[in-house]
């Protein structure tokens, strides 16, 4: 079987940057396009960061389509406290060597799906605004999507409010439309991404690769500092690369099929992903939700992908 065709939708963001590099360094994936969304930082910053990361790893062949600068209905919430003013503070990397694709996110996704000989996995790892906008604009292309492997949500506590994880909190209406799309969804929520903490040992192992590995370790050193200051974590979770690994090596993620609903009405619990693990609601299952991660295999996969760059 050839490499799996994928599109990444990102809001770089340190962990988004690592997810992009992981996809580029994995022969098991064919990264067809990257689309950007406002989230960790404003759209101009997340787009600039995506272009810089692809330029750094020599993948200026991958088109980058800029998408939504605001959530569907809400005002934007960004995360400079975690990712810094630029959205990707830490080691300086060169400016981008290419420009965004003039089609923008929705039409770039549409054209990419139409041109692909086989269905494409969408891997959104920021607020789901672009994916919802695409599904609204091109329902006729849903059949060209093999799976949506998203980073977002939580079966338990949130990280932005006690109830909500950041990506779903920022645009809960978009997340609700994705979970209700009828497409196969794999949700890598905080329950599994918090098992992917890049501690000092993992960072030094990546640093030892040299080159891109050194840059990634530098990014993660910055990320470790903000995660320690804001959350008291001793290791910053590699949230977004887990959603990539779930497509690359599905066996790394243990999932349970269940119904997931997104709270959009309450101010107190806005953005909560209500995960019916035990099927008590009788609502139809609509997502494979990550409940366990093979942490060692995950970091081996990440290490091997970065070594190839
Ligand atoms: O809650 C973690 C998610 O929010 C990650 O995707 C991170 O990059 C931020 O977008
Ligand atoms: Ca992200």
């Amino acid at each position: 079987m050839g490499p799996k065709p994928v599109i990444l939708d990102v809001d770089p963001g340190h962990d988004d940057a690592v997810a992009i590099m992981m996809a580029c360094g994995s022969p098991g994936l064919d990264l067809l396009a990257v689309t950007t969304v406002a989230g960790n930082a404003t759209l101009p910053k997340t787009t600039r960061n995506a272009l810089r990361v692809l330029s750094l790893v020599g993948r200026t062949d991958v088109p980058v389509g800029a998408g939504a600068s605001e959530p569907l209905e809400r005002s934007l919430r960004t995360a400079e406290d975690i990712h810094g003013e630029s959205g990707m503070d830490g080691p300086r990397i060169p400016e981008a060597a290419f420009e965004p694709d003039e089609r923008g996110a929705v039409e770039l996704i549409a054209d990419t799906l139409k041109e692909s000989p086989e269905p494409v996995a969408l891997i959104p790892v920021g607020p789901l605004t672009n994916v919802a906008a695409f599904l609204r604009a091109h329902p006729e292309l849903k059949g060209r999507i093999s799976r949506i492997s998203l980073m977002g949500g939580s079966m338990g506590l949130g990280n932005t409010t006690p109830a909500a994880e950041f990506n779903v909190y920022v645009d809960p209406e978009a997340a609700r439309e994705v979970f209700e799309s009828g497409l196969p969804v794999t949700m890598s929520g905080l329950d599994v991404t918090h098992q992917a903490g890049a501690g000092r040992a993992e960072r030094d192992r990546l640093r030892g690769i040299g080159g891109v590995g050194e840059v990634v370790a530098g990014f993660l050193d910055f990320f470790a500092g903000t995660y320690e200051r804001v959350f008291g974590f001793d290791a910053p979770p590699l949230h977004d690369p887990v959603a990539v690994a779930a497509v690359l090596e599905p066996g790394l993620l243990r999932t349970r099929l269940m119904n997931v609903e997104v709270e959009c009405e309450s101010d107190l619990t806005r953005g909560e992903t209500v995960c019916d693990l035990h099927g008590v609601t009788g609502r139809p299952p609509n997502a494979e939700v990550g409940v366990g991660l093979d942490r060692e295999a995950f970091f081996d996969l990440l290490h091997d992908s970065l070594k190839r760059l």
Side-chain angles (χ1 to χ4, degrees), residues 219-243:
F219 274 148
L220 296 183
D221 287 341
F222 175 88
F223 201 31
T226 57
Y227 247 86
E228 198 282 325
R229 186 171 67 249
V230 174
F231 295 104
F233 280 32
D234 60 6
L238 288 184
H239 302 288
D240 298 343
V242 173

Side-chain angles (χ1 to χ4, degrees), residues 104-148:
V106 168
E107 292 313 308
L108 177 57
I109 294 172
D111 288 348
T112 304
L113 294 182
K114 282 184 256 186
E115 289 156 14
S116 175
E118 63 181 285
V120 177
L122 300 188
I123 308 178
V125 293
L128 289 156
T129 318
N130 287 344
V131 179
F134 168 77
L135 292 173
R136 287 180 175 186
H138 291 284
E140 77 285 359
L141 294 177
K142 280 174 75 170
R144 302 289 185 98
I145 298 170
S146 58
R147 171 165 294 280
I148 295 178

